[in-house]
């Protein structure tokens, strides 16, 4: 295992880190049944990762990741609190709620988290989070009081990451990317304003869909090529830990497939939309184009029910707007020259065909 600096925090983190969703137990819709781990199994998996050099463990407040936060606290007590770095998060956007969430997390963990993120920040909550008295002010206060060590923003949106990169209250960012959805990572690589912050990248397996198509070493190695501090991988078995961490990331040299090569692999299964989720397209009607395209890809890659459900939300309205849209400003900024309006019509047709 190799280690990288976590921005300006002074911490050194393992370049492959442990995501705790798969060690939770309970009724969480995103949880496949085989990840239904009890406490002793969960601790054994985390211990295995620790023995392989992993020192960063990422979780979220109960119940966002079920009971994973509690299990991580127990693991920290077993292994020695000072030997690992705990990253935690909560989806609360107001300052008061965030302050109380961190206190709850400290109780659940039985210790103080090293990193604490505002979780899943999107445009509708951005001003609340960044504004006066919002979640980031609360994290700054908690940091001053010694209840967390460093503050962060976790989001799937490039513009919000960039805002976080320029905010002095933010020490660490957490964003997503993988072989298929690499557009945001490409932009982060080009943007020097990200360099002062630690950066954790998640979703490198694309919700578990890509390992059936590409070796996990390729998926992880791909993300490590970017200026990130650590690649977070959800792990639920010792075998998964071995696959993710049991190799030398610097030797042998990995061949990272180009975006076109990734598309050509997927073309054997369906007609992928060549969208890398760079998020440069903007729709004046509010259609989140990159998210629609993601759900389309995920539908064909195996998350059919979940993806279809999400696609159904507002798709007919989006398709209607596209039919009436003359200027089509979204197309002007798309480097892939995707015929966005036509793809949205195609997706709308798909949701009608498969609607139950
Ligand atoms: S073509 Fe459709 S997605 Fe693009 S800007 Fe117009 S309404 Fe929005
Ligand atoms: S549609 Fe084009 S501009 Fe929009 S996210 Fe995809 S690749 Fe980027």
């Amino acid at each position: 295992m190799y280690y990288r600096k976590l921005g300006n925090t002074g911490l050194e983190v393992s370049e492959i880190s442990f995501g705790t969703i798969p060690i939770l137990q309970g009724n969480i819709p995103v949880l496949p049944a085989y990840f239904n781990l009890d406490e002793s199994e969960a601790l054994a998996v985390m211990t295995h990762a620790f023995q392989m050099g992993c020192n960063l463990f990422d979780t979220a407040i109960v119940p966002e990741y079920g009971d994973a936060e509690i299990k991580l606290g127990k693991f920290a007590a077993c292994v020695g609190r000072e030997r690992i770095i705990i990253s935690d998060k909560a989806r609360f956007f107001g300052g008061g709620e965030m302050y109380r969430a961190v206190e709850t997390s400290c109780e659940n963990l039985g210790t103080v988290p090293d990193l604490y993120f505002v979780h899943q920040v999107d445009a509708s909550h951005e001003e609340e989070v960044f504004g006066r008295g919002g979640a980031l002010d609360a994290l700054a206060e908690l940091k001053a009081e010694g209840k967390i060590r460093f503050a962060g923003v976790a989001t799937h949106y490039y513009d919000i990451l960039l805002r976080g990169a320029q905010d002095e209250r933010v020490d660490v960012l957490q964003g997503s990317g993988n072989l298929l959805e690499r557009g945001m990572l490409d932009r982060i690589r080009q943007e020097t304003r990200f360099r002062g912050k630690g950066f954790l990248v998640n979703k490198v397996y694309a919700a578990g869909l890509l390992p059936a198509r590409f070796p996990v070493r390729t998926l992880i190695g791909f993300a490590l090529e970017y200026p990130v501090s650590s690649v977070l991988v959800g792990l639920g078995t010792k075998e998964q830990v071995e696959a993710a961490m049991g190799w030398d990331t610097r030797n042998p040299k990995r061949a990272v497939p180009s975006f076109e090569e990734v598309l050509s692999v997927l073309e054997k299964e369906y007609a992928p939309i060549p969208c890398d989720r760079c998020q440069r397209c903007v729709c004046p009607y509010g259609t989140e184009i990159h998210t629609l395209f993601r759900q389309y890809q995920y539908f064909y890659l195996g998350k059919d029910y979940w993806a279809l459900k999400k696609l159904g939300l507002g798709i007919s309205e989006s398709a209607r707007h596209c039919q009436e849209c003359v200027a089509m400003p979204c197309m002007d900024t798309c480097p892939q020259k995707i015929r966005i309006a036509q793809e949205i019509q195609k997706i709308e047709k798909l949701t009608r065909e498969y609607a139950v």
Side-chain angles (χ1 to χ4, degrees):
M1 183 70 78
Y2 298 99
Y3 300 84
R4 297 185 180 191
K5 286 189 190 330
L6 187 67
N8 293 327
T9 63
L11 299 175
E12 297 238 330
V13 293
S14 51
E15 59 180 14
I16 305 167
S17 46
F18 195 109
T20 55
I21 286 181
I23 61 149
L24 67 83
Q25 187 173 40
N27 185 23
I28 305 292
V30 296
L31 177 69
Y34 57 87
F35 283 148
N36 191 16
L37 294 196
D38 68 22
E39 187 177 300
S40 66
E41 290 171 314
L43 263 62
V45 177
M46 285 188 277
T47 302
H48 197 60
F50 176 75
Q51 288 166 344
M52 296 193 76
C54 175
N55 72 352
L56 175 61
F57 294 77
D58 178 76
T59 192
I61 192 168
V62 178
E64 286 183 32
Y65 285 6
D67 62 353
E69 188 182 48
I70 294 168
K71 285 169 171 157
L72 178 53
K74 290 187 176 165
F75 170 66
C78 286
V79 78
R81 173 65 188 92
E82 72 291 350
R83 300 172 81 189
I84 63 165
I85 295 162
I86 294 179
S87 163
D88 205 344
K89 48 194 171 319
R91 195 172 183 275
F92 290 106
F93 309 117
E97 290 172 308
M98 179 52 84
Y99 194 95
R100 288 188 290 279
V102 170
E103 290 189 320
T104 303
S105 285
C106 289
E107 282 169 29
N108 291 339
L109 287 165
T111 184
V112 170
D114 298 289
L115 322 177
Y116 210 96
F117 290 87
V118 196
H119 195 193
Q120 292 181 348
V121 183
D122 59 16
S124 63
H125 299 103
E126 182 180 346
E127 292 314 319
E128 190 180 2
V129 169
F130 284 87
R132 199 167 169 186
L136 276 177
D137 269 354
L139 290 181
E141 195 180 331
L142 288 153
K143 188 173 155 183
E145 293 169 355
K147 291 179 177 164
I148 61 171
R149 293 177 70 195
F150 299 102
V153 168
T155 177
H156 299 308
Y157 298 92
Y158 176 82
D159 290 343
I160 295 173
L161 285 170
L162 184 58
R163 185 167 178 179
Q166 298 169 89
D167 192 310
E168 62 182 20
R169 295 167 296 180
V170 177
D171 302 297
V172 195
L173 295 161
Q174 188 171 152
S176 50
N178 54 58
L179 269 188
L180 178 61
E181 301 160 290
R182 62 177 70 185
M184 193 160 77
L185 291 174
D186 286 339
R187 292 179 75 183
I188 288 166
R189 173 153 59 194
Q190 288 161 8
E191 176 53 74
T192 53
R193 283 176 282 181
F194 283 101
R195 295 305 165 263
K197 309 292 185 189
F199 196 96
L200 310 182
V201 60
N202 57 35
K203 302 280 184 290
V204 292
Y205 288 179
L209 296 172
L210 292 181
R213 282 111 183 150
F214 303 93
V216 298
R217 294 179 186 196
T218 302
L219 297 172
I220 294 170
F222 164 79
L224 286 171
E225 299 275 323
Y226 287 88
V228 299
S229 314
S230 188
V231 174
L232 270 172
V233 185
L235 299 166
T237 67
K238 287 184 182 177
E239 291 71 29
Q240 289 170 353
V241 171
E242 296 276 344
M245 299 179 178
W247 59 293
D248 185 341
T249 54
R250 294 185 193 170
N251 184 30
K253 187 96 182 91
R254 301 167 299 279
V256 173
S258 67
F259 186 59
E260 289 66 34
E261 285 166 338
V262 170
L263 291 178
S264 71
V265 169
L266 302 185
E267 274 161 11
K268 293 177 190 138
E269 301 175 51
Y270 72 105
I273 298 173
C275 170
D276 65 7
R277 291 198 82 194
C278 72
Q279 304 186 20
R280 286 190 171 92
C281 49
V282 177
C283 170
Y285 297 100
T287 294
E288 211 171 278
I289 300 160
H290 62 94
T291 304
L292 271 185
F293 289 178
R294 168 192 194 244
Q295 297 310 118
Y296 169 86
Q297 319 276 37
Y298 281 28
F299 172 80
Y300 283 106
L301 291 172
K303 294 267 180 201
D304 43 358
Y305 173 71
W306 171 80
L308 200 61
K309 214 166 113 190
K310 288 214 166 187
L311 275 173
L313 302 172
I315 182 69
S316 32
E317 202 183 348
S318 297
R320 187 168 46 77
H321 284 312
C322 289
Q323 280 170 350
E324 293 163 2
C325 184
V326 179
M328 296 190 175
C330 58
M331 303 261 299
D332 297 341
T333 45
C334 177
Q336 303 288 342
K337 304 288 173 220
I338 296 169
R339 299 168 83 167
I340 292 171
Q342 287 186 13
E343 295 293 355
I344 289 177
Q345 301 301 324
K346 193 166 89 183
I347 295 171
E348 197 268 339
K349 190 161 170 259
L350 176 86
T351 58
R352 273 191 282 115
E353 277 172 11
Y354 285 87
V356 280

